[in-house]
Amino acid sequence: MKTIKSKLAVALIAAGLSFSAAAANIKVAYDADPVSLDPHEQLSGGTLQLSHMVFDPLVRYTQEFEFESRLAESWKRIDDNTFQFTLRKGVKFHSGNTMTADDVVWTFNRLKSSPDFKAIFEPYSEMKKVDEYTVQLISKGPYPLVLQTATYIFPMDSKFYSGKTEDGKDKAELVKHGNSFASTHISGTGPFVVTSREQGVKVEFERFKDYWDTASEGNVDKLTLVPIKENATRVAALLSGGVDMIHPVAPNDHKRVENADGIDLVTLPGTRIITFQMNQNSNEALKDVRVRQAIVNAINNEGIVKKIMKGFATAAGQQGPEGYAGYDGELVPRYDLKKAKELMKEAGYENGFTLTMMAPNNRYVNDAKVAQAAAAMLSKIGIKVDLKTLPKAQYWPEFDLCSADMMMIGWHSDTEDSANLSEFLTMTRNEETGRGQYNCGHYSNAEVDKLVEGSNVETDPKKRAQMLQTVEATLYNDAAYVPLHWQSEAWGVKSNVHAAKIVNSMVMPYFGDLVVDEK
């Protein structure tokens, strides 16, 4: 790893003054790079990782899932439907523009129009400017998750994104999987400025010289993000010194990283659920609850955790892990091959049938291997699987079209409880509200919809948890989807990179606060 000294550091040395650490130049390898520079184009881990580097949210989570102030200095509830945020003054965008309430309101309105984000903001009627540095987020009714929502509001530079491009297009235009001004140009308030980007090759960042958070101990001056798809290649790059930090570290490589000199393995229990959805619109057999139950019973997810994930995951029987509102300890994994065969016979599919399956091969830990194992397990109950795996960049457009009978998807709850999982994965699809945006199973249950919506206006934690437990039990009995496991997280880092302080279970490291010791 190379280290460099910034102009400020050189000036301090010349003046005989001390400073905490020399500025660092590091390289980080992920399994894939962000698909766009537009923070509202795709609700995904890659987009949110980028957002925390180039933008800042109103508030963000600590490692303990508490809230800490960022661009909102303070907040308070005015009444049942109104929540007020006082904004930080003197915050500059990378363009040089000053952030004000106008930018926050503009960003909120754009989020409301985003196909991926609008479901999160559906409970709100408007965001209102009170003065230059005060905004009010107004909900349609009592809503218990306002601060959780605020973690997704990364104020955009409204002046930078206003006007027309040379070819007459709106600079604020939001295009899914398309080429737009916002997908290729970026101006945030965050610790890093994007200096260059080659899709699929690298993204280069430099520290923003006018970054508002002068109290941060972070000393990374330059950062390069490189996508390395293959697990073994990614680890080899770390061990050879080609990169300074990697994610993920596949379970098979944990010992190799732990045993390497000058390298640390940083791990955290995860809350991301990995599932298969069963498309009832594309395969008639999947409309039968007995067939769906048979599939769930045929897939040995505890075996997958043990053999493929090497124990670095927790087998799931429901959407939300222990600790989430809605968790029910009785909804356990249910591998039972004999019962699966009986259910297939009862449903009239004793001789099986054929279905298509799709999964990414570089998005989740061992995703392609998990899909291959699931396909092999289904063959034991007569289901012949036509499996296709794709790189992340090619997979998501196919997922948006629900292109196969079974499709893999992982999800980390946007609100740290199970209601959000249902909102996106199991509620009835509704293009107007964004509900069921990623429900490629086309599962639809009016009672589930009603309970989830009710939980979103229930401010009594106990009552809310009971409602969400009923939802989980219903999904369990209906075999609405195939629960696989909650994926744990692991980073490999050089020992002088203090990553343990800036990583989190959401897999959104706060690189602006990263401290790297000089070697």
Side-chain angles (χ1 to χ4, degrees), residues 282-434:
S282 65
N283 194 311
E284 186 70 23
L286 298 177
K287 292 181 179 180
D288 193 318
V289 65
R290 295 166 298 186
V291 171
R292 299 197 303 272
Q293 289 172 341
I295 289 173
V296 172
N297 277 274
I299 295 179
N300 182 1
N301 53 350
E302 290 182 315
I304 288 173
V305 165
K306 183 178 179 180
K307 294 184 178 180
I308 296 176
M309 301 300 291
K310 303 298 182 184
F312 196 63
T314 303
Q318 57 198 293
Q319 295 179 118
E322 188 171 3
Y324 271 26
Y327 177 80
D328 184 342
E330 295 184 4
L331 305 180
V332 297
R334 44 184 158 166
Y335 173 60
D336 188 332
L337 192 57
K338 181 180 178 182
K339 183 175 181 179
K341 291 178 179 178
E342 291 173 351
L343 285 164
M344 287 287 283
K345 183 176 181 180
E346 185 181 331
Y349 292 97
E350 184 176 7
N351 297 322
F353 60 91
T354 299
L355 60 75
T356 56
M357 177 186 288
M358 291 183 71
N361 56 25
N362 65 345
R363 175 62 186 93
Y364 312 114
V365 177
N366 289 338
D367 41 17
K369 291 181 179 179
V370 169
Q372 290 161 5
M377 291 170 181
L378 291 180
S379 70
K380 295 181 179 179
I381 59 171
I383 297 178
K384 182 180 179 181
V385 177
D386 179 8
L387 172 62
K388 184 177 183 180
T389 65
L390 296 167
K392 171 185 170 182
Q394 284 77 52
Y395 181 70
W396 290 122
E398 294 296 329
F399 188 95
D400 286 341
L401 297 173
C402 302
S403 297
D405 301 330
M406 288 183 69
M407 303 201 72
M408 180 183 285
I409 186 167
W411 201 267
H412 173 269
S413 171
D414 300 320
T415 53
E416 304 308 327
D417 68 22
S418 62
N420 176 261
L421 294 163
S422 291
E423 287 169 12
F424 281 95
L425 303 179
T426 53
M427 284 184 71
T428 303
R429 290 175 71 97
N430 186 321
E431 290 186 10
E432 183 178 343
T433 65

Side-chain angles (χ1 to χ4, degrees), residues 49-107:
Q49 288 162 1
L50 178 73
S51 294
H52 278 288
M53 296 173 73
V54 184
F55 296 89
D56 272 301
L58 294 183
V59 299
R60 74 181 183 189
Y61 291 107
T62 66
Q63 285 182 327
E64 294 75 32
F65 290 105
E66 296 175 349
F67 296 104
E68 66 176 348
S69 163
R70 297 309 288 168
L71 295 188
E73 257 184 345
S74 61
W75 50 83
K76 62 181 178 180
R77 182 173 286 281
I78 304 299
D79 55 42
D80 284 350
N81 295 11
T82 308
F83 212 91
Q84 183 165 293
F85 294 91
T86 300
L87 304 175
R88 205 173 287 280
K89 295 179 180 178
V91 175
K92 292 288 187 181
F93 285 107
H94 299 161
S95 67
N97 295 326
T98 299
M99 186 203 75
T100 68
D102 291 327
D103 299 297
V104 180
V105 172
W106 186 93
T107 300

